[in-house]
Amino acid sequence: MISQLLVNALVAGSIYALIALSMSIIYKASEIPNFAQGEMAMFSTYITFILLSVLGWPFLYALAGTLVFAFCLGFLFEFIFIRRAKEPNLLGFIIITLGFQMVLYGLAGWKWGSDQRTFSLPFSESEVVFQTESVVLTEHNLASIVLAILVMAGLYLLLEHTNLGLAMKASQQNVRAAKFNGIPTNRILGISFGISSIVGAIAGVLVAPISTLDPSMMWDPLLKGFAAAVLGGMKSLHGVVIGGLLLGLVENLFGFYISLEFKSIVAFAIIMLVLFIKPSGLFDKHYVRKV
Amino acid sequence: MLTIENIETFYDKVKVLNGISFTVAEGKITAILGNNGAGKSTTLNTILGLIDDQPEKGTILYQGLPIEGRETHRIISLGIGYVPEGREVFEELTVKENLLVGAYQRRDKRAVKEDLERILTWFPALKDRIGQMAGKLSGGEQQMLAIGRALMNKPDLLILDEPSLGLSPRLVTEIFGIIKEINKQGITILLVEQNARMAFQVADEVYIMENGRFVRNGPAVELESDEDVREFYLGIKENESIKGYQRYKRKRTWR
């Protein structure tokens, strides 16, 4: 039983980690907690659904199309809304992301209705790839873990081995210094939003088959992802991954040993605890910002 | 090479630069001297487009091209290197990454690699710490890293803001030796300094700034023998008879 719990924890943790990563990429780049992240992912998931089920594209093409769409969505969100903010402060930014969230939610509801659809992906929730007496691993489980690993590896390569990644890291640390070293910091921020949106979209595609495809499908996963990000430390990418996995584990253990009904509350309890004990998160280094 | 005409810069509604004009001649070292708050750094920030929507008035020509109001990364891409006050190295990046950030605008990958090697031979202290986080370096090493980073852009004009700030006298001498050496390689230099003594040692042309305008300028050798400059900036008193109020009054009539 415990091994099955671990599998479930790993799968849930992978999805939380992806959502947390998508939030963390933007937070690191701009210190904006992007509350539209979930709806951006939901919208991109609808695009997958349309490409796949309505237009009948093969899965890989549909996935590629979704990622392109997600990137543009993130980039344009930064370009059209965030960059226009005059004399911005944090509260203003939060309101902008909340506003964008509502716009996307409304658009999705109007266009696709609030009726729930089923979503056929090549990895199904019911097909079993691997089974022993104590563990069942479904296709969806495997796909979640593999995709999460691929995304993390991709992000690592991007940040550590490309010029773009270097520019992203430099802009995160000191925008002014990045500018006078010739980095177009506005464009880099837009690209960061795009990449974050891609990571979110992949999480959305993984969430849709286990819940249902409807405009509010990302509410719960987003809050979990947010909790994971706070737990790991919003500014540490490896921290939020560990935060996601930890949250998946704690939640599943709690659900099994203590109470299934209150499983969802664990995430909020964790946010509270972290804020009481170590507000910067488990893995974030506190470094002092020079004025 | 760089011609500034009648620049006015405002912070909010406060006028910081009062219509200043100066030129930086190709191949020379030009220094701007002045006390804290005179507007030296603001001048540099204005040239580099680092202050939003400034300058309000005036033109900045770099090799005949107007650059005022352009985005910073476009100005940098014209071949300008900048070493800021307080160094501003990327503390959470390694020494090597810091240097590579400096070459961000360049597309000639192979030449970048060669330049990296060359700059490391100039600064052996950095070579030993190539993989370390820049935040772990000492002040002098960070200053060298900031200069090396600016050189990675292969600049024709190198702009330095207070390179002597916070360094020991021995290091200051070393840094100014490096500046002189860089200039000998054909790179034009614009230098902002509070340390007048050092600036006079290396500069060809000197401008003295007070309250957002220039009060004196000329070739370094001429200005160095100017009685007021000697007294107020180099701290050399030759005529003991002028004291107190009279001295203040004489200085005040500069403007």
Side-chain angles (χ1 to χ4, degrees):
Chain A
M1 199 62 225
I2 187 78
S3 43
Q4 183 63 48
L5 264 182
L6 287 179
V7 168
N8 293 349
L10 190 60
V11 171
S14 301
I15 295 174
Y16 297 158
L18 287 179
I19 297 168
L21 270 176
S22 72
M23 300 220 47
S24 175
I25 292 168
I26 287 182
Y27 190 76
K28 253 175 102 87
S30 60
E31 307 217 326
I32 301 171
N34 180 15
F35 291 107
Q37 202 79 54
E39 269 55 38
M40 286 163 72
M42 173 273 290
F43 216 85
S44 301
T45 311
Y46 264 105
I47 298 296
T48 321
F49 172 75
I50 288 169
L51 294 178
L52 207 60
S53 305
V54 181
L55 301 179
W57 289 21
F59 174 71
L60 280 181
Y61 290 3
L63 186 64
T66 304
L67 299 190
V68 171
F69 173 83
F71 180 85
C72 297
L73 183 67
F75 188 87
L76 291 176
F77 173 46
E78 192 279 331
F79 184 75
I80 297 173
F81 296 106
I82 301 288
R83 204 177 297 180
R84 306 299 139 194
K86 284 276 174 208
E87 298 183 18
N89 58 28
L90 186 59
L91 186 62
F93 279 136
I94 290 176
I95 300 295
I96 291 175
T97 67
L98 284 174
F100 190 57
Q101 179 216 348
M102 287 177 193
V103 169
L104 289 178
Y105 182 68
L107 265 180
W110 164 70
K111 190 73 192 146
W112 296 300
S114 45
D115 46 326
Q116 305 176 337
R117 293 159 203 256
T118 48
F119 198 6
S120 65
L121 288 170
F123 41 87
S124 116
E125 247 258 288
S126 46
E127 293 290 320
V128 173
V129 241
F130 174 82
Q131 186 167 20
T132 65
E133 269 175 41
S134 56
V135 187
V136 180
L137 190 72
T138 67
E139 281 180 3
H140 178 266
N141 290 350
L142 188 65
S144 303
I145 296 167
V146 169
L147 270 176
I149 291 172
L150 283 179
V151 169
M152 289 165 202
L155 278 177
Y156 175 80
L157 287 178
L158 173 79
L159 286 172
E160 297 301 324
H161 293 284
T162 67
N163 240 355
L164 173 65
L166 186 61
M168 283 170 68
K169 287 195 289 183
S171 311
Q172 284 157 14
Q173 286 180 31
N174 186 337
V175 181
R176 200 185 103 92
K179 277 186 183 159
F180 66 64
N181 278 293
I183 295 173
T185 48
N186 280 336
R187 199 184 313 154
I188 295 291
L189 185 59
I191 292 172
S192 302
F193 269 74
I195 290 171
S196 147
S197 174
I198 285 182
V199 176
I202 292 173
V205 170
L206 291 174
V207 167
I210 46 172
S211 73
T212 44
L213 184 64
D214 72 85
S216 56
M217 68 176 232
M218 288 304 285
W219 285 7
D220 187 57
L222 180 79
L223 284 167
K224 303 286 177 57
F226 196 40
V230 171
L231 174 62
M234 286 286 277
K235 282 197 168 174
S236 158
L237 292 186
H238 67 269
V240 300
V241 170
I242 297 172
L245 294 174
L246 268 179
L247 180 63
L249 185 67
V250 172
E251 202 184 56
N252 275 288
L253 290 178
F254 184 90
F256 181 71
Y257 288 109
I258 301 171
S259 155
L260 201 57
E261 279 176 313
F262 289 107
K263 188 175 156 185
S264 292
I265 289 178
V266 173
F268 303 102
I270 283 180
I271 291 187
M272 299 300 282
L273 268 179
V274 172
L275 291 180
F276 284 149
I277 297 165
K278 194 167 183 298
S280 59
L282 295 180
F283 297 94
D284 194 9
K285 273 172 282 180
H286 241 330
Y287 64 94
V288 183
R289 179 173 290 272
K290 285 181 194 151
V291 184
Chain B
M1 174 165 248
L2 183 69
T3 310
I4 278 84
E5 271 170 32
N6 224 8
I7 290 285
E8 289 188 5
T9 296
F10 289 76
Y11 280 134
D12 288 325
K13 297 235 155 48
V14 183
K15 199 193 248 183
V16 184
L17 296 183
N18 254 319
I20 60 163
S21 303
F22 68 102
T23 53
V24 177
E26 186 146 10
K28 295 280 194 312
I29 299 183
T30 305
I32 301 176
L33 300 182
N35 296 326
N36 256 342
K40 305 183 303 292
S41 296
T42 306
T43 308
L44 299 188
N45 286 333
T46 306
I47 294 171
L48 291 162
L50 283 166
I51 309 171
D52 285 342
D53 307 321
Q54 298 295 338
E56 290 234 332
K57 282 187 191 150
T59 52
I60 304 169
L61 296 175
Y62 177 68
Q63 291 177 328
L65 210 67
I67 58 168
E68 73 275 3
R70 286 205 198 186
E71 288 173 287
T72 304
H73 65 95
R74 298 200 190 282
I75 296 171
I76 293 295
S77 72
L78 297 171
I80 297 178
Y82 175 54
V83 182
E85 181 181 350
R87 310 180 269 270
E88 296 198 40
V89 296
F90 298 103
E91 296 188 1
E92 308 260 311
L93 294 183
T94 63
V95 168
K96 187 179 178 187
E97 284 174 322
N98 266 278
L99 291 169
L100 288 176
V101 170
Y104 183 78
Q105 286 278 350
R106 294 172 59 183
R107 290 292 166 262
D108 44 344
K109 281 245 154 104
R110 191 167 295 162
V112 168
K113 225 174 167 185
E114 286 167 17
D115 283 353
L116 184 71
E117 290 303 318
R118 199 163 41 108
I119 283 168
L120 286 175
T121 55
W122 290 358
F123 303 110
L126 297 182
K127 193 167 190 171
D128 302 337
R129 300 173 163 246
I130 187 83
Q132 273 189 32
M133 290 293 160
K136 295 264 192 301
L137 301 184
S138 70
E141 287 163 342
Q142 286 189 4
Q143 187 65 61
M144 289 175 193
L145 180 56
I147 294 175
R149 184 179 64 181
L151 289 175
M152 285 297 288
N153 189 34
K154 226 179 177 179
D156 300 313
L157 170 67
L158 184 65
I159 299 178
L160 300 108
D161 195 350
E162 305 253 8
S164 72
L165 192 77
L167 299 183
S168 70
R170 196 178 58 80
L171 273 170
V172 171
T173 317
E174 195 179 332
I175 293 282
F176 273 85
I178 291 166
I179 292 170
K180 196 112 201 184
E181 197 52 45
I182 292 168
N183 180 242
K184 274 193 193 138
Q185 315 251 343
I187 298 174
T188 310
I189 286 176
L190 171 60
L191 176 72
V192 150
E193 255 306 333
Q194 283 195 55
N195 187 337
R197 234 171 255 259
M198 285 316 290
F200 270 110
Q201 273 183 30
V202 297
D204 299 300
E205 191 81 15
V206 172
Y207 289 80
I208 293 178
M209 187 174 237
E210 283 184 10
N211 287 334
R213 55 162 54 111
F214 291 128
V215 291
R216 283 279 205 285
N217 69 288
V221 275
E222 273 178 34
L223 267 195
E224 210 177 358
S225 53
D226 182 297
E227 199 186 329
D228 292 337
V229 172
R230 285 177 83 82
E231 186 171 342
F232 296 125
Y233 285 91
L234 298 170
I236 306 165
K237 262 191 279 178
E238 271 134 2
N239 190 343
E240 289 291 335
S241 66
I242 299 177
K243 277 189 185 152
Y245 177 68
Q246 266 179 304
R247 179 163 126 193
Y248 165 74
K249 204 174 157 195
R250 198 180 78 198
K251 184 171 182 322
R252 208 178 51 168
T253 54
W254 278 23
R255 290 172 216 124

